[in-house]
Amino acid sequence: MWDFLLTLSLFNFTLLLIPLFLASFVVIKISHALWLSCISILHPDVEFVKYITVRTLLDTHRNQGIISALLCVKGPPQPEAVRRHLQEVVGRRGKSGNLAFPRLRHCLVTRCGTYAWLRGKFDLDQNLTVAPFTFKGRAVTEYNIQEYVSDIVSKYLPSGIPPWQVIIIPSSEDNHYILIKLHHLLLSEGFNIGDLLPLIPPTKQATGPKAPWWKSSKKPVHIPLLKERLTEELSNRWNEFVSNNDPLERPELLKNTPTLPQFLAIALITFVSLIKDCRKGFRVIKDDAYSRVKYVFKATIKETEKRQVTIKNLFLSMFASLDPRNLASSFFQTTWYLGIVLPIRVPAVIYAEFIALYACLTLHYCPYPHTFVGMLYTYVPLAYMSLKEFFYIFSIFFSAPKNVIQDILLQKQSLQTITLCGRKSVAWSDPIKVDLIKTVAKQNGVSPTEIMLSAVSMGLSRYFVQTKHCIPDELPVTIRHVSSNYIFGTGPNVKPEDSISGILCLNLAIPNPEEDTTYSDHLSEIKKTFRSSLEKQGLSHLLTMLQTKFGILTKFLPSIILSIYLKYLSMKYAVTVTEVTSRYPNVTQKTIWGREVTSVIYWRPPQANTSISLCLNEYADHVKLGVMCDAQLAPNHPYLVKSFPEHIQELGHVDINA
């Protein structure tokens, strides 16, 4: 009872805050526009970034959001081929003749605490480099490549150049590496990571799995079906109405003066046609109030003239309705219908209803959908199931404020034993086959993600042992799903934010080697926690996804408050996990010079007080676990990922259902 009252109170309080959020949106939008106008006058040499993202709120000079990706390519390096590709990308122009990616030529600077783009002399040689063949006096091989890449990633991007780099790393073996580093703001400027990669674009649309378990709540099934059927029914009725009353379909309607009901029907059709015309026209005209008002005015004149919907015809239709001849005609039609047609049709309708009822009882199917019984048989169960789904969705919204406060805001703080320096170190595991992960997951009755989360928690446990830290019973982490389209997608219609899910928070159970916790118990705890988080955090998952796509949180909340809140949360969730699923299973990418890319590792940069970012990289037929962490955690950070394949193989001998 008390739990329900608490949930109800928090829900009502949230509803009361909605007007405040709306007012905040207006104030923030106006104040932000005024601020940009003022500083633009002070600094006319730069173009300020007009939007605010979560990462820009957390960005500092020491801790920048630099995204990194590493490609391992067969064969010797081809610097000239990479150079030609980058020259084409930097100089690419759109249909209007303007540069497609102008920000690749601009430097990112800060003026008055706000990001801005500064035009300068662009030199591709500053952004494309070929690393030395040796590292610390030894040839680059698979034994020292991780240390070499980590050393490169730990360095900041050079100042005075556009915020991206492509580094070619030769190797003494029959392969080489291409490392991509770019600032996160570039991905908000119509640019994709895949545009920088010298790869052959896919010839067909991706058809790989979309990680259906990431739907944190049940997807409505009956509500869309009810909507579809009602839309179809309404569309049929409307088309019939138009065919009987539209002068464009029946020109004879305008040969005589229409009555008032006929005129109102024509006016309704004109209004609907005007709305359709405006919806189409607004896509091709300028996006300002004057252009839209002008278009609506012209469209109104055009539609009313076509159907002769005027004030004059309105009054004429009133007089026509009062014409004795029309009144007499209406009287005789009503008399004929009530006296002759209706007595004949009523028995036929009753007979059809009984036949439909009999068919429903015997066949459990109604072949007469236009009868009243048929409509009830079709829509009553559908409406009932839709109502259940509606209450389920409402329950998510109803309990969301309490769940957010209880499971996220009141979360225990993670163990912080170091002061973060902002520089990053990276490492990655050996590959493990996707089929093996799926087999182990099926064997234990869990999802592949839960298997990998269990292996991640074992790696964290090993890290705590090696660094002689106290092993917590559970560690708060955030999880996010990313499609490989985020890395490989190219083209103007591909938006990076469409490939990213919302964020899920959970307490990841950490096994303690000194305790008698079995693998099956640990996996059961992971399964329970993960699915409980999926069930409770539907709304928070949706809000974070909407923030990624549309920036709703940064538009409705003041930047200072949101920044403090995010830094506070990052103290509780010092570890983030990102699952990158392949949209092209068992398919390897190829470079533009025809060489196969054997592996791809992507790292999402940790920011604010988050110190560890773990990325489960699925590519082709294998998965690699990559870690990007604060440089203060080096040189022990490889322990987080080194034994990842072995942990999954150990889980293969466990059956939690036994």
Side-chain angles (χ1 to χ4, degrees):
M1 181 64 181
W2 289 111
D3 184 71
F4 172 77
L5 292 177
L6 177 62
T7 305
L8 178 62
S9 301
L10 292 174
F11 177 73
N12 290 333
F13 180 72
T14 304
L15 292 180
L16 292 175
L17 289 178
I18 291 179
L20 180 62
F21 289 145
L22 295 176
S24 174
F25 169 76
V26 176
V27 172
I28 290 173
K29 192 171 183 66
I30 295 175
S31 59
H32 186 63
L34 291 174
W35 169 250
L36 290 179
S37 299
C38 294
I39 60 178
S40 295
I41 297 174
L42 296 175
H43 301 280
D45 57 322
V46 299
E47 184 179 348
F48 285 96
V49 176
K50 297 180 180 179
Y51 49 83
I52 299 175
T53 65
V54 169
R55 285 198 178 274
T56 56
L57 293 175
L58 301 178
D59 260 348
T60 63
H61 178 71
R62 293 177 55 197
N63 195 351
Q64 301 175 7
I66 306 299
I67 295 168
S68 302
L70 181 70
L71 280 66
C72 180
V73 185
K74 285 185 178 181
Q78 301 287 337
E80 288 304 317
V82 177
R83 176 186 294 275
R84 287 193 298 270
H85 170 72
L86 294 178
Q87 285 177 337
E88 187 277 327
V89 173
V90 171
R92 187 180 301 171
R93 296 186 178 273
K95 296 180 180 179
S96 61
N98 298 323
L99 288 173
F101 310 121
R103 302 308 183 197
L104 292 179
R105 295 171 172 264
H106 299 170
C107 297
L108 187 63
V109 296
T110 304
R111 297 285 188 271
C112 300
T114 305
Y115 273 128
W117 296 102
L118 174 64
R119 297 188 181 187
K121 186 177 179 181
F122 174 73
D123 184 4
L124 184 59
D125 291 332
Q126 295 179 318
N127 294 86
L128 173 63
T129 59
V130 180
F133 184 77
T134 59
F135 177 65
K136 293 184 177 180
R138 294 183 299 164
V140 177
T141 65
E142 63 176 338
Y143 298 105
N144 62 351
I145 184 61
Q146 294 204 26
E147 187 181 0
Y148 195 7
V149 172
S150 185
D151 181 71
I152 297 173
V153 171
S154 66
K155 296 179 173 62
Y156 292 119
L157 288 173
S159 59
I161 69 170
W164 61 275
Q165 265 191 319
V166 176
I167 301 134
I168 301 174
I169 306 174
S171 171
S172 61
E173 301 165 330
D174 187 27
N175 57 35
H176 67 281
Y177 301 87
I178 300 177
L179 178 64
I180 310 291
K181 297 173 63 179
L182 72 157
H183 198 279
H184 66 86
L185 271 179
L186 284 172
L187 299 181
S188 302
E189 296 285 344
F191 182 75
N192 300 295
I193 299 176
D195 292 318
L196 276 183
L197 301 178
L199 303 178
I200 300 174
T203 57
K204 61 180 181 179
Q205 188 68 23
T207 56
K210 297 183 180 180
W213 50 265
W214 263 103
K215 301 184 189 308
S216 55
S217 57
K218 298 177 185 177
K219 183 178 179 180
V221 176
H222 298 91
I223 291 178
L225 183 58
L226 178 61
K227 177 186 174 184
E228 179 184 350
R229 292 193 177 180
L230 289 176
T231 303
E232 181 181 359
E233 184 70 23
L234 182 61
S235 178
N236 292 336
R237 297 294 177 90
W238 175 255
N239 291 334
E240 182 181 355
F241 177 77
V242 170
S243 63
N244 292 329
N245 297 280
D246 190 357
L248 300 183
E249 299 288 338
R250 297 180 59 192
E252 65 272 11
L253 292 175
L254 296 179
K255 291 181 179 180
N256 299 316
T257 303
T259 60
L260 182 60
Q262 291 174 335
F263 180 85
L264 294 177
I266 296 173
L268 177 61
I269 294 172
T270 303
F271 179 72
V272 174
S273 299
L274 176 62
I275 293 176
K276 291 181 179 179
D277 190 8
C278 290
R279 289 181 61 183
K280 293 180 181 179
F282 285 172
R283 301 173 188 172
V284 296
I285 64 174
K286 294 181 180 179
D287 190 14
D288 60 86
Y290 175 75
S291 298
R292 292 194 171 189
V293 170
K294 183 178 178 181
Y295 186 88
V296 170
F297 180 74
K298 290 184 176 181
T300 302
I301 294 176
K302 181 182 70 174
E303 293 295 333
T304 53
E305 286 182 350
K306 284 195 301 185
R307 295 178 175 84
Q308 298 183 16
V309 180
T310 62
I311 299 296
K312 177 182 177 182
N313 286 340
L314 172 61
F315 287 107
L316 290 177
S317 67
M318 293 180 182
F319 289 117
S321 299
L322 299 176
D323 190 319
R325 291 172 296 180
N326 289 332
L327 292 176
S329 176
S330 300
F331 175 77
F332 283 116
Q333 288 178 0
T334 304
T335 304
W336 173 263
Y337 181 80
L338 294 176
I340 306 298
V341 176
L342 197 61
I344 296 176
R345 290 191 61 182
V346 167
V349 169
I350 294 175
Y351 176 75
E353 297 294 340
F354 275 109
I355 292 295
L357 180 61
Y358 178 77
C360 292
L361 295 176
T362 56
L363 302 177
H364 301 288
Y365 166 74
C366 186
Y368 309 99
H370 296 294
T371 61
F372 182 73
V373 172
M375 291 181 63
L376 291 179
Y377 188 83
T378 301
Y379 286 104
V380 169
L382 194 56
Y384 173 73
M385 298 304 296
S386 299
L387 195 62
K388 287 183 64 177
E389 289 181 345
F390 170 79
F391 281 113
Y392 169 74
I393 296 172
F394 177 77
S395 68
I396 293 176
F397 283 86
F398 181 73
S399 59
K402 179 201 166 187
N403 290 334
V404 168
I405 293 175
Q406 179 177 312
D407 297 339
I408 299 179
L409 297 182
L410 298 181
Q411 185 62 259
K412 294 180 181 178
Q413 184 171 328
S414 296
L415 185 64
Q416 291 278 2
T417 59
I418 60 171
T419 301
L420 304 181
C421 68
R423 294 184 297 108
K424 305 296 187 293
S425 296
V426 299
W428 61 91
S429 70
D430 292 330
I432 183 167
K433 296 292 184 182
V434 175
D435 290 341
L436 176 60
I437 297 175
K438 291 181 178 179
T439 300
V440 174
K442 185 176 181 181
Q443 171 187 330
N444 290 278
V446 296
S447 68
T449 301
E450 290 163 334
I451 290 292
M452 290 187 286
L453 280 177
S454 182
V456 164
S457 68
M458 293 177 185
L460 288 166
S461 175
R462 184 180 180 186
Y463 171 80
F464 287 132
V465 171
Q466 294 294 332
T467 56
K468 298 181 180 180
H469 286 141
C470 177
I471 301 177
D473 294 333
E474 52 188 25
L475 187 68
V477 301
T478 60
I479 308 177
R480 165 166 268 176
H481 168 255
V482 175
S483 166
S484 62
N485 277 354
Y486 183 79
I487 304 172
F488 299 116
T490 60
N493 297 324
V494 178
K495 297 181 180 179
E497 57 269 20
D498 292 338
S499 302
I500 304 177
S501 77
I503 293 176
L504 190 71
C505 303
L506 76 144
N507 293 326
L508 187 66
I510 307 297
N512 193 333
E514 298 181 358
E515 298 179 356
D516 296 331
T517 304
T518 63
Y519 286 147
S520 60
D521 293 339
H522 174 246
L523 190 55
S524 297
E525 184 65 24
I526 294 286
K527 176 182 177 181
K528 177 183 176 182
T529 306
F530 182 72
R531 301 193 178 184
S532 174
S533 298
L534 283 174
E535 182 180 349
K536 291 182 178 180
Q537 298 178 28
L539 184 60
S540 58
H541 179 272
L542 176 63
L543 287 175
T544 51
M545 184 169 62
L546 292 177
Q547 165 59 30
T548 302
K549 291 187 176 183
F550 309 109
I552 62 168
L553 296 180
T554 50
K555 289 179 180 178
F556 282 85
L557 296 175
S559 299
I560 296 177
I561 296 177
L562 191 57
S563 177
I564 295 173
Y565 169 70
L566 291 171
K567 289 176 181 178
Y568 166 75
L569 278 184
S570 65
M571 294 180 64
K572 296 177 177 290
Y573 296 92
V575 179
T576 65
V577 180
T578 304
E579 183 184 12
V580 182
T581 56
S582 176
R583 300 283 283 148
Y584 303 91
N586 300 316
V587 175
T588 56
Q589 304 285 327
K590 286 191 176 182
T591 63
I592 53 178
W593 57 90
R595 288 291 186 169
E596 182 183 4
V597 178
T598 56
S599 71
V600 176
I601 303 172
Y602 161 77
W603 292 284
R604 287 182 68 82
Q607 287 186 271
N609 296 303
T610 301
S611 55
I612 298 175
S613 174
L614 297 164
C615 293
L616 298 159
N617 292 279
E618 179 186 347
Y619 174 75
D621 62 345
H622 65 266
V623 175
K624 286 186 177 182
L625 175 60
V627 59
M628 175 178 278
C629 61
D630 192 84
Q632 292 289 85
L633 274 66
N636 297 310
H637 64 286
Y639 290 114
L640 292 163
V641 297
K642 188 175 181 180
S643 56
F644 176 71
E646 289 78 7
H647 290 324
I648 291 182
Q649 291 174 354
E650 291 171 356
L651 291 171
H653 303 291
V654 178
D655 187 357
I656 63 175
N657 299 316

